Amino acid sequence: MPLTRLSRARHARWHVPQFIRILLPLVVTIACLDILQRTVALPDLAELGATLGALPLHQWLGALIATAISFWALGRYDSVAHRHLQTGLDGRGARRAGMAAIALSQTIGFGLITGAFARWRLMPGLGPVTATRLTAMVSVSFMMALAAICATALVMVGDTTQMRLIGTLMLAALATGLVLSAVFPVMRMGPVALRWPSLTAQLAFAGWALIDVTAAGTALWLLLPAGSEITLTALLPAYFIALGVALLSSAPGGAGAFELALCALLPTTTGADIIAAIVAFRLIYYALPACVAGATLLFPQAFSKEGSIDELGHDIRDAAHLPHHRTCAETQVIAQNGGRIHAFGLNQLAVLDTTQASIALFGPISGRISETLDGLRHHARSRNSAACLYKCDAVCAQAARKVGWRVLRIASEAVLSPNRFQDQGPRLRQLRRKLRQAEKAGVVVLPASDALPLEQMSHVDAAWRARHGRARGTTMGRFEPGYLQRQEVFLAWQDDEIVGFMSFHAAAEEWCLDLVRLRPDAPDGTGHALIRAALTDAAARAIPRLSLAAVPDHLLARHFDKGLRRFKESFAPTWEPRYAAAPNWTQMALALADLIRLVHWPEPIRTPPASTSQQQALSQEDLADMTWEAAAAYVANLPSSGVEQTTSQPPHNELEENAFALSRRA
């Protein structure tokens, strides 16, 4: 059917940019070759053949070895990209596919298309979309890494002040981008969220790229004819910059642009030698790998195998599977921050995966920490992130130190024994005074029923935030109805109004203080009365341990939040040290810095669906008593299938709880 005038216009508008995009690299190549012919004395074919034939065998072999090293680094580069995209593929097959894709794309051109096709062909499990995303990420990250390498080269060996200034500005811009990617790890463009690679991944990209281009530049230098006076230190910076120009030209193999840039950056008297070396280099570094890559595409089964990361029996579950019999009640915070349970056999950790780190919170849920450290480090490596234990006890810290991890004391946790607690003695004088003040003001503290008065509690929370600012999160809880339904809550009443409340994580043998919310006009001593009521209730339920949570305990923290320590000190608790541990100080710094960011600027609350018993705790009448926003937030966290949902855990969880119970008896 003939096209209408409108359809012809649309057809032309769509095809003109495509036509220009295809034609432009060809035009650039022709223009560069024309300029090269005018400015450099090119050797004729006979002279070129004689020069190449005179190259000794050891130079060809050296160039082959350097080429192999370069492609080996490129394969590791692909591994980093696989880990960032969490493809689950990080074996030899993934690295071989990456090397083949780059060998083809750098020779044929149209890198996004040819690279994605090669990766998909050799690893069908990726799928075309993931293969394209992987190829795009490798291309963009390599350009950024090469920009950093070129900028460094300009600063170190630039001939003019202008060149060194350009290099300095480039490094400053790249360093700024690196910092911004750590502070703002997710960039949102409408419905699309782009997650930047972690600092570990970006440094790995830069390291592998440096090995790649240095080896490739060395291969070119080894192929220079005898008698050439170009040193390796002079050639490498020129090669880095010429490679960047070639990639920007989008020409297949950077033909024309690469030769012109290299000859312009190196002495003109050696133009014939450079051209001869480039021809030999293209044979060794481009043609030969492209032929090998073509064979792998023809017979993919013979050359590549898909391999997933060996997770050492790693099993990952959501927070709904937290066992009631666990060593640390505070691990329940993963029900809000998106953390998950990572199980290694009978050993379980509560792990929070941040942009920069995989952080095991508060020590093991069950089992032995010594049997999870390798698994945690392996899991972190699979994400290009740092491994870290956070706020673990002295036993965990000692186990980590034995295997060479670095350990740092960061906090002290205030612990009480409800069964033995009595508010008598000189150390509790301040507590008795505060309790009398609260009693005189008419404050009455009661445990909350299953139907929480969420509307009044939300008003208290809003007043608290108006006084103190944004609520911190990630390692401490925030106000949210579904989250509070999982906790023990105590309410402070005055004249039929709630003036404050506290919530506690609850496990079989421990409660741990979480949310503390007091109205600005709450009578003095209200917080003390809430803790005292929780101690009484915990003693009645035979809970042997109640934690008031931790306070910072390091040199920098001693000048902050002194009131929090005084408040907890009024109960005369036992102070237990808490530590952070990581395989090295770099990983420690990355993990703690990312935690500080997330505590002060937490991500949106991610509370998993409540269990069936918790769903039944609020009736329709209870929901009617809530504000519309609170009720909507609560209902939004319920499973869509309602009462048909089950909270029964897999059989092996029962085995774990029994094994943990036996270990406690022992």
Side-chain angles (χ1 to χ4, degrees):
M1 181 175 1
L3 294 171
T4 64
R5 182 177 300 175
L6 180 60
S7 64
R8 286 195 191 98
R10 290 176 178 173
H11 189 73
R13 282 199 303 269
W14 189 85
H15 277 283
V16 168
Q18 298 286 345
F19 176 73
I20 292 176
R21 190 157 52 195
I22 295 174
L23 184 63
L24 185 60
L26 180 61
V27 172
V28 170
T29 299
I30 294 173
C32 289
L33 290 175
D34 181 65
I35 297 172
L36 183 67
Q37 185 178 9
R38 295 171 184 270
T39 56
V40 178
L42 299 178
D44 56 30
L45 291 178
E47 183 182 356
L48 181 62
T51 302
L52 295 180
L55 287 175
L57 180 61
H58 70 269
Q59 288 186 243
W60 291 99
L61 292 176
L64 278 173
I65 293 172
T67 297
I69 294 173
S70 174
F71 276 88
W72 170 80
L74 289 172
R76 295 313 192 268
Y77 199 100
D78 250 51
S79 291
V80 179
H82 275 280
R83 292 169 194 157
H84 175 73
L85 295 178
Q86 292 290 280
T87 64
L89 301 169
D90 187 26
R92 291 183 179 179
R95 294 192 288 272
R96 289 174 180 172
M99 289 186 280
I102 293 170
L104 283 176
S105 61
Q106 73 176 9
T107 303
I108 300 174
F110 308 104
L112 185 61
I113 299 173
T114 54
F117 171 76
R119 289 182 174 91
W120 182 26
R121 168 73 172 166
L122 295 174
M123 305 189 74
L126 280 179
V129 175
T130 304
T132 303
R133 290 175 60 208
L134 184 67
T135 302
M137 182 182 181
V138 168
S139 301
V140 173
S141 60
F142 183 80
M143 288 295 295
M144 298 300 293
L146 183 60
I149 295 169
C150 291
T152 305
L154 287 173
V155 171
M156 294 180 65
V157 298
D159 294 333
T160 64
T161 303
Q162 290 83 358
M163 293 178 67
R164 290 192 291 272
L165 178 60
I166 291 172
T168 302
L169 293 176
M170 288 176 62
L171 286 177
L174 290 168
T176 302
L178 194 68
V179 172
L180 290 176
S181 72
V183 177
F184 305 102
V186 178
M187 183 176 69
R188 301 189 183 279
M189 297 178 291
V192 179
L194 175 65
R195 180 172 63 91
W196 296 112
S198 66
L199 293 178
T200 301
Q202 294 184 56
L203 293 175
F205 281 141
W208 292 122
L210 180 61
I211 294 174
D212 160 44
V213 296
T214 301
T218 302
L220 175 61
W221 178 75
L222 288 170
L223 292 170
L224 286 169
S228 174
E229 297 180 355
I230 301 176
T231 63
L232 180 61
T233 54
L235 178 67
L236 285 179
Y239 173 78
F240 299 156
I241 297 170
L243 179 60
V245 172
L247 291 175
L248 290 174
S249 73
S250 300
F258 177 77
E259 287 81 357
L260 181 62
L262 200 60
C263 289
L265 292 167
L266 291 172
T268 55
T269 56
T270 58
D273 289 346
I274 294 172
I275 296 301
I278 290 174
V279 171
F281 177 70
R282 289 195 178 279
L283 290 174
I284 292 292
Y285 195 83
Y286 286 82
L288 182 60
C291 292
V292 175
T296 64
L297 292 182
L298 290 175
F299 308 100
Q301 295 82 6
F303 290 93
S304 65
K305 296 180 181 179
E306 292 189 21
S308 61
I309 300 172
D310 179 14
E311 286 291 340
L312 305 177
H314 203 177
D315 184 21
I316 301 176
R317 312 165 202 156
D318 60 34
H321 291 88
L322 269 173
H324 187 55
H325 290 278
R326 60 184 188 272
T327 56
C328 179
E330 198 173 1
T331 51
Q332 193 180 32
V333 75
I334 67 171
Q336 191 175 75
N337 64 18
R340 296 185 292 177
I341 303 167
H342 289 235
F344 306 88
L346 299 181
N347 308 291
Q348 299 182 94
L349 296 174
V351 177
L352 174 64
D353 286 330
T354 72
T355 303
Q356 308 297 339
S358 292
I359 303 168
L361 300 171
F362 319 124
I365 297 171
S366 64
R368 298 180 178 179
I369 188 64
S370 59
E371 297 179 7
T372 63
L373 293 175
D374 283 343
L376 177 63
R377 183 161 47 186
H378 192 85
H379 170 70
R381 183 177 179 273
S382 74
R383 301 180 57 251
N384 296 318
S385 65
C388 181
L389 296 177
Y390 178 71
K391 278 175 63 176
C392 64
D393 60 20
V395 175
C396 294
Q398 185 179 15
R401 186 179 280 116
K402 282 184 178 179
V403 296
W405 285 36
R406 300 294 182 262
V407 176
L408 179 68
R409 178 167 175 165
I410 58 171
S412 293
E413 184 169 355
V415 178
L416 298 169
S417 176
N419 297 327
R420 296 195 298 268
F421 184 82
Q422 294 181 352
D423 49 13
Q424 303 298 321
R427 293 184 61 192
L428 298 170
R429 185 184 306 111
Q430 181 186 3
L431 173 62
R432 292 193 297 273
R433 184 172 66 252
K434 294 291 186 180
L435 292 176
R436 285 195 299 270
Q437 290 174 348
E439 183 180 4
K440 185 181 297 185
V443 174
V444 177
V445 178
L446 296 172
S449 62
D450 289 338
L452 296 175
L454 291 169
E455 184 172 1
Q456 289 196 60
M457 293 172 67
S458 66
H459 292 328
V460 173
D461 178 70
W464 182 89
R465 284 186 286 108
R467 174 81 175 268
H468 296 88
R470 180 197 294 113
R472 296 178 181 180
T474 306
T475 60
M476 55 193 78
R478 287 176 283 170
F479 181 84
E480 191 270 327
Y483 181 69
L484 287 168
Q485 290 295 325
R486 296 169 164 83
Q487 297 186 316
E488 298 292 337
V489 179
F490 292 83
L491 307 172
W493 298 85
Q494 185 186 39
D495 299 330
D496 298 327
E497 289 188 358
I498 297 177
V499 294
F501 66 89
M502 288 185 181
S503 71
F504 292 79
H505 298 296
E509 298 186 359
E510 183 189 53
W511 286 3
C512 181
L513 179 63
D514 189 23
L515 271 71
V516 177
R517 296 292 185 267
L518 301 176
R519 272 185 4 195
D521 60 348
D524 198 17
T526 300
H528 298 78
L530 283 162
I531 295 290
R532 186 66 183 91
L535 283 165
T536 301
D537 198 53
R541 301 197 202 181
I543 302 296
R545 176 185 170 98
L546 189 144
S547 169
L548 299 182
V551 296
D553 187 12
H554 48 80
L555 291 176
L556 297 178
R558 293 177 182 175
H559 304 287
F560 302 98
D561 237 343
K562 294 181 180 179
L564 178 62
R565 178 177 280 274
R566 281 198 302 269
F567 170 73
K568 296 181 179 182
E569 190 67 59
S570 67
F571 291 88
T574 299
W575 291 97
E576 298 180 355
R578 293 292 177 261
Y579 302 87
N584 53 58
W585 291 117
T586 301
Q587 294 192 40
M588 176 87 77
L590 284 173
L592 294 182
D594 213 29
L595 263 183
I596 291 171
R597 176 183 67 85
L598 288 171
V599 166
H600 291 275
W601 295 278
E603 295 182 350
I605 293 173
R606 293 179 285 178
T607 304
S611 66
T612 305
S613 60
Q614 291 160 346
Q615 297 163 34
Q616 296 170 348
L618 293 187
S619 64
Q620 293 297 324
E621 290 77 15
D622 298 326
L623 291 172
D625 291 336
M626 297 183 189
T627 61
W628 186 90
E629 293 82 4
Y634 178 78
V635 173
N637 285 287
L638 298 182
S640 58
S641 55
V643 296
E644 294 180 4
Q645 288 284 338
T646 177
T647 58
S648 61
Q649 299 175 353
H652 60 267
N653 268 6
E654 297 177 10
L655 174 62
E656 289 169 3
E657 291 210 18
N658 291 337
F660 179 57
L662 289 173
S663 68
R664 289 204 320 277
R665 291 180 186 176

